[in-house]
């Protein structure tokens, strides 16, 4: 599979598999079909299913890239070390490939979030330096959240995650991470299907002979963003991997980039969740 190189030299698969709300069977299917990057988080509550799926497929640990995230209630120096130990136990591994802070703020009213982020990051840097983590990341950090880390860290983040898909490309944030040589990953790269009926997505699906989901995933790849799609069937997993071979015209890329806002999940790091 095509790989992407992080700013510390680590190469990771160009497409990952999002395990949020994924069953053991779905995770196992993803691995069996060649999925090697598994995006997990303590908040997901299914780390043991990830471990069991790996065990059932008899896939060597060294072939996999396992990511997890420090949840809002686990932030802080001591809390991060404790949460990391739990992650390893539940995932059945002795190291992680990528460790993220899941959200920059534990809640929208917390005023000391900058210090909390730095305390969390300091613990993560120690885990990285000890070899227990191979890369560090920020999830749902907008540029001004990330600046707090980047200006005060010893180890620069290698990866960032944001909601990213046609209709919600967060161009300013994307360019910020590009400028800092930090790989952006897309959670919800197909917008949970909310953009599948968009007139442009339907048109491009027909034009290129691919599914609407493949249009979304291929767009991410074209933008240099690593998509983390979910899938529950072998066919869907194979479709996702096939996106590595899709190529759009420059005009069609521009049309996607300039789509009207659509498909947003309602999640924002500085606001209460919007029910959509």
């Amino acid at each position: 599979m095509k790989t992407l190189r992080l700013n510390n030299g680590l190469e990771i698969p160009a497409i990952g598999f999002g395990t949020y709300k994924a069953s053991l069977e779905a995770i196992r299917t993803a691995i069996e079909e060649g999925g090697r990057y598994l995006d997990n988080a303590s908040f997901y509550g299914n780390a043991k299913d990830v471990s069991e799926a790996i065990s059932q497929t008899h896939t060597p640990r060294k072939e996999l890239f396992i990511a997890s995230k420090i949840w809002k209630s686990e932030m802080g120096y001591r809390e991060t070390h404790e949460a990391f130990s739990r992650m390893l136990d539940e995932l059945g591994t002795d190291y992680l490939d990528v460790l993220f802070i899941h959200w920059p703020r534990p809640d929208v009213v917390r005023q000391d979030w900058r210090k909390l982020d730095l305390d969390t990051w300091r613990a993560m840097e120690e885990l990285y330096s000890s070899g227990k983590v191979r890369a560090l990341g920020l999830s749902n950090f907008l540029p001004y959240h990330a600046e707090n880390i980047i200006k005060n860290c010893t180890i620069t983040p290698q990866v960032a995650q944001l909601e990213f898909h046609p209709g919600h490309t967060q161009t300013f944030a994307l360019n910020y991470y590009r400028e800092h040589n930090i790989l952006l990953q897309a959670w919800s790269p197909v917008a949970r299907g909310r953009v599948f009926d968009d007139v442009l997505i339907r048109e491009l699906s027909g034009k290129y002979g691919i599914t609407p989901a493949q249009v979304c995933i291929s767009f991410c790849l074209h933008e240099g963003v690593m998509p983390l799609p979910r899938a529950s069937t072998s066919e869907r997993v194979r479709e996702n991997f096939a996106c590595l071979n899709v190529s759009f015209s420059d005009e069609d890329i521009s049309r996607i980039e300039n789509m009207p806002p659509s498909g947003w999940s309602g999640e924002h790091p500085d606001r209460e969740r919007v029910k959509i």
Side-chain angles (χ1 to χ4, degrees):
M1 178 182 287
K2 178 182 177 182
T3 61
L4 300 170
R5 182 182 292 272
L6 305 184
N7 61 31
N8 66 351
L10 180 65
E11 292 194 4
I12 64 175
I15 296 179
F17 179 78
T19 65
Y20 180 56
K21 293 186 177 180
S23 65
L24 189 159
E25 180 180 359
I27 299 167
R28 185 180 66 243
T29 296
I31 298 172
E32 290 172 343
E33 293 297 332
R36 290 296 178 263
Y37 187 101
L38 305 175
D39 180 69
N40 195 241
S42 59
F43 175 73
Y44 298 173
N46 62 351
K48 292 183 178 179
D49 286 341
V50 172
S51 177
E52 180 61 24
I54 294 171
S55 177
Q56 290 182 10
T57 61
H58 305 291
T59 305
R61 173 65 180 91
K62 64 182 180 180
E63 293 184 8
L64 296 168
F65 295 79
I66 302 177
S68 193
K69 309 179 190 72
I70 300 294
W71 183 240
K72 298 175 181 180
S73 59
E74 298 169 335
M75 296 170 71
Y77 177 79
R78 175 181 56 81
E79 293 85 350
T80 294
H81 278 288
E82 293 173 350
F84 181 74
S85 294
R86 290 193 298 270
M87 289 176 186
L88 294 187
D89 288 342
E90 293 177 353
L91 288 165
T93 183
D94 57 2
Y95 71 96
L96 285 181
D97 295 281
V98 192
L99 179 64
F100 293 85
I101 304 178
H102 205 148
W103 289 89
R105 307 171 68 119
D107 56 60
V108 297
V109 299
R110 184 80 175 252
Q111 297 300 310
D112 67 340
W113 62 268
R114 292 177 179 82
K115 179 180 183 303
L116 187 62
D117 285 356
L118 293 177
D119 288 343
T120 303
W121 193 257
R122 181 162 57 92
M124 292 167 60
E125 288 182 328
E126 291 179 358
L127 294 168
Y128 178 90
S129 297
S130 72
K132 294 180 179 179
V133 177
R134 302 174 72 196
L136 300 179
L138 305 172
S139 177
N140 299 298
F141 277 61
L142 299 175
Y144 90 94
H145 300 122
E147 276 287 285
N148 177 50
I149 297 290
I150 291 173
K151 287 184 175 180
N152 295 287
C153 67
T154 300
I155 299 168
T156 302
Q158 287 85 38
V159 192
Q161 280 189 14
L162 287 174
E163 179 179 358
F164 181 95
H165 52 75
H168 191 69
T169 55
Q170 305 207 60
T171 304
F172 182 82
L174 172 60
N175 289 335
Y176 172 86
Y177 284 118
R178 282 173 173 166
E179 291 168 3
H180 286 82
N181 195 24
I182 297 171
L183 174 68
L184 185 65
Q185 296 178 334
W187 64 260
S188 194
V190 301
R192 302 178 187 178
R194 291 172 175 160
V195 297
F196 288 177
D197 288 330
D198 179 87
V199 61
L200 176 59
I201 299 300
R202 291 202 311 270
E203 176 193 330
L204 297 181
S205 174
K207 177 179 180 179
Y208 291 95
I210 58 179
T211 68
Q214 288 177 315
V215 172
C216 296
I217 294 171
S218 299
F219 170 71
C220 291
L221 292 168
H222 182 278
E223 297 292 275
V225 176
M226 176 184 172
L228 302 170
R230 287 188 290 158
S232 57
T233 66
S234 297
E235 180 182 9
R236 193 64 59 82
V237 173
R238 285 193 294 269
E239 285 180 359
N240 293 344
F241 292 156
C243 294
L244 291 167
N245 303 315
V246 176
S247 179
F248 296 120
S249 70
D250 291 342
E251 178 179 309
D252 287 336
I253 286 294
S254 179
R255 295 170 71 199
I256 299 174
E257 290 174 337
N258 290 282
M259 275 177 56
S262 57
W264 178 46
S265 68
E267 297 274 12
H268 190 283
D270 293 329
R271 305 289 181 91
E272 293 287 356
R273 172 69 187 274
V274 177
K275 302 298 182 181
I276 296 177

